[in-house]
Amino acid sequence: MAKEDKLKHSTGAESEGGITSSYKVDDGVVLKVPYSFFGSIYDEAEEKAVLAAMKQDSLTMGPQVKKFQQKFAAYFGTKHALAVSNCTTAMHVCAQAIGLKPGDEVIVTPNTFIATSLAVLKEGATPVYADIDPKTYNIDPKEIEKKITNRTKAIFVVHYAGQMCDMDPIMDIAKKNGRNIVVLEDCAHAHGAQYKGRQAGSIGDFGCFSFHSLKNITTLGEGGMVTTNSDEYAEAIENLRCMNNVHWENQADYWIPSHFDIRDWNGKWGNNYRMNEAQAAVGAAQMDKLDMLVAKRIEYGRYLNEGLKGIKGITPVYEDPNCKHCYHLYTVCVEEEELGASRDDFLRVLYREEGIQGILHYQPTYHFTALKKMGYAQDICPIAEKFFYKREFNTPHHPRLTKDDLDAIIQGIKNTAKKVGK
């Protein structure tokens, strides 16, 4: 692949999306491997799909959306797949479908993008943060159980970096002693991930997927999907993603009494969270590539694991034997006590001297200003706090990387460890 082709989705122009669309910094650093905001591969298939969709009469929520939903449900092994505008809106309509309200509590990992908590906050419910496992960086089932109260309405889990949470004990906790706690899987990182042979998004009551440009597959930069095996929840999502718009019952003529009715869903009012036809057409084309794209990510992730093995103070990715890790992110941990230098000192040298751009995922959600104002204690998840502030960073990771890129990442980390280690 030509160098200009490989980089055309990774450098970008000036961005109005802030950290949601670029990490480009004009600071004079010459990068060997920049962090890319495009996580997939496009070719003629996506171009043809977009052009075909543009020639249709319907440009939103039409045949392309239906096709994409059917392919998605078949691949992920769920009864329903319902397309929406992004993963945040996917989680929001799920929060509405289960009837979240003020006074309800939802157990959430602190190691996630703000969107996971935002879906809870928008309905007036309270996020309750449970700490993470220090090896997988996923929410710890033992910590979930400690947080259960009679107000717990749901558990929102996140399959961090593409490795699924330990779902069996989480589902047991949700149903223990006759409870009926809803489990939502935030699968924004988990396209192609598996737990004991089961696909992400097929185990909980809901799965919510993102097709943002960073993800393992993308639908023109944004997009989302809800998976569920519940007919009732599927009906709720259908209603809420399209402004509570439904057909009139027993309508003999399509214009009488009018073209549509509006019905609330148990007192909840929906929004315009629809997916357009061009996005869906690209999504359907990307589904044909998903296995290939994930295979590349796994191959590259394991190549990095092997190359980083044995470096003092550096912990490469751990793969849970119960899981198929789809390597949405590649997370390196710096062990300060062993290395003799801080993670931030390490990152500075890696970036400025070795030309490898590392970034961080994710600051504990309750440390953001808006959550602090709500009165959250600032030391409630010590493992997640140490993980973000002291240990982790993500290297560039996408299916367009070359062997030279991967070798540069490995050598850059080795060189940095020698330079900063004591």
Side-chain angles (χ1 to χ4, degrees):
M1 182 178 291
K3 189 72 171 178
E4 59 269 22
D5 290 337
K6 183 171 77 72
L7 292 179
K8 67 181 178 181
H9 288 290
S10 62
T11 54
E14 290 186 11
S15 164
E16 294 189 16
I19 57 89
T20 64
S21 57
S22 178
Y23 286 108
K24 187 178 181 182
V25 180
D26 294 323
D27 56 4
V29 173
V30 178
L31 290 174
K32 295 177 184 175
V33 191
Y35 204 89
S36 173
F37 252 75
F38 184 64
S40 186
I41 294 173
Y42 281 173
D43 57 29
E44 293 80 7
E46 286 77 13
E47 292 176 8
K48 290 178 181 177
V50 170
L51 290 172
M54 289 172 64
K55 295 175 182 178
Q56 295 177 179
D57 182 61
S58 173
L59 292 178
T60 186
M61 294 297 284
Q64 300 297 333
V65 168
K66 183 176 181 180
K67 176 183 176 182
F68 184 27
Q69 291 178 159
Q70 290 172 339
K71 292 180 82 167
F72 205 88
Y75 185 97
F76 286 91
T78 58
K79 189 173 182 181
H80 305 281
L82 301 123
V84 290
S85 52
N86 54 63
C87 190
T88 307
T89 58
M91 289 188 287
H92 185 219
V93 291
C94 292
Q96 291 184 302
I98 63 180
L100 284 187
K101 62 186 185 303
D104 291 337
E105 295 178 349
V106 179
I107 298 174
V108 187
T109 176
N111 182 31
T112 180
F113 191 53
I114 184 61
T116 315
S117 293
L118 196 61
V120 178
L121 293 165
K122 284 176 74 66
E123 292 306 303
T126 302
V128 175
Y129 295 99
D131 215 343
I132 62 173
D133 181 284
K135 289 177 71 176
T136 66
Y137 322 130
N138 280 324
I139 195 167
D140 187 333
K142 298 188 296 296
E143 296 298 318
I144 292 174
E145 188 138 38
K146 293 177 185 177
K147 304 287 184 173
I148 297 287
T149 72
N150 59 8
R151 295 184 298 278
T152 305
K153 186 72 174 282
I155 303 167
F156 284 16
V157 305
V158 177
H159 304 311
Y160 173 81
Q163 180 156 252
M164 288 182 65
C165 299
D166 194 0
M167 290 302 297
D168 282 350
I170 291 171
M171 297 306 294
D172 289 344
I173 291 166
K175 307 306 176 190
K176 188 176 180 180
N177 298 326
R179 299 179 188 130
N180 191 29
I181 298 171
V182 174
V183 176
L184 180 148
E185 299 176 63
D186 180 339
C187 302
H189 296 182
H191 316 70
Q194 294 180 12
Y195 173 80
K196 297 182 179 179
R198 290 171 285 173
Q199 293 281 357
S202 69
I203 299 172
D205 297 278
F206 299 99
C208 294
F209 292 81
S210 170
F211 307 122
H212 180 274
S213 63
L214 275 168
K215 307 306 180 186
N216 291 14
I217 59 172
T218 180
T219 54
L220 289 180
E222 294 283 1
M225 190 76 76
V226 179
T227 54
T228 183
N229 289 308
S230 164
D231 293 341
E232 180 182 2
Y233 285 148
E235 184 181 354
I237 303 305
E238 289 270 18
N239 178 280
L240 293 162
R241 70 176 174 176
C242 194
M243 301 168 291
N244 304 89
N245 185 316
V246 296
H247 294 294
W248 287 100
E249 293 180 1
N250 304 316
Q251 196 170 12
D253 297 298
Y254 67 84
W255 66 89
I256 300 175
S258 61
H259 293 300
F260 58 89
D261 191 12
I262 299 294
R263 294 186 209 140
D264 69 289
W265 183 268
N266 296 331
K268 297 292 186 180
W269 297 100
N271 211 319
N272 179 0
Y273 290 159
R274 299 190 298 263
M275 177 179 282
N276 69 52
E277 286 287 274
Q279 288 176 307
V282 170
Q286 288 272 284
M287 286 301 299
D288 296 334
K289 296 177 178 173
L290 180 54
D291 287 339
M292 175 272 289
L293 295 168
V294 170
K296 284 181 177 289
R297 286 177 172 273
I298 293 171
E299 177 189 351
Y300 299 166
R302 289 176 177 171
Y303 187 87
L304 291 172
N305 286 344
E306 191 62 30
L308 299 178
K309 189 186 300 181
I311 303 175
K312 183 180 179 181
I314 298 298
T315 300
V317 172
Y318 165 76
E319 287 193 33
D320 184 334
N322 286 321
C323 294
K324 177 185 175 183
H325 196 320
C326 70
Y327 282 94
H328 169 60
L329 301 176
Y330 189 89
T331 302
V332 178
C333 278
V334 176
E335 313 303 351
E336 182 174 350
E337 299 84 357
E338 185 181 351
L339 181 65
S342 72
R343 186 275 313 275
D344 292 333
D345 285 343
F346 185 96
L347 262 184
R348 289 186 188 100
V349 173
L350 182 69
Y351 175 61
R352 294 172 182 167
E353 299 182 22
E354 298 296 325
I356 308 300
Q357 188 176 27
I359 64 169
L360 308 184
H361 291 104
Y362 291 96
Q363 185 172 20
T365 309
Y366 50 84
H367 283 176
F368 290 121
T369 299
L371 278 293
K372 286 181 182 179
K373 285 168 61 178
M374 295 176 67
Y376 280 93
Q378 297 299 286
D379 58 353
I380 51 181
C381 296
I383 297 174
E385 290 161 22
K386 182 177 181 181
F387 173 68
F388 178 78
Y389 292 108
K390 299 289 188 180
R391 298 182 67 208
E392 66 89 22
F393 70 93
N394 302 119
T395 68
H397 201 72
H398 54 78
R400 303 176 321 283
L401 291 170
T402 66
K403 184 176 182 297
D404 286 346
D405 293 330
L406 296 169
D407 288 338
I409 293 169
I410 292 167
Q411 194 59 50
I413 291 173
K414 285 181 177 179
N415 292 346
T416 303
K418 288 179 182 178
K419 289 176 181 180
V420 303
K422 295 180 177 65

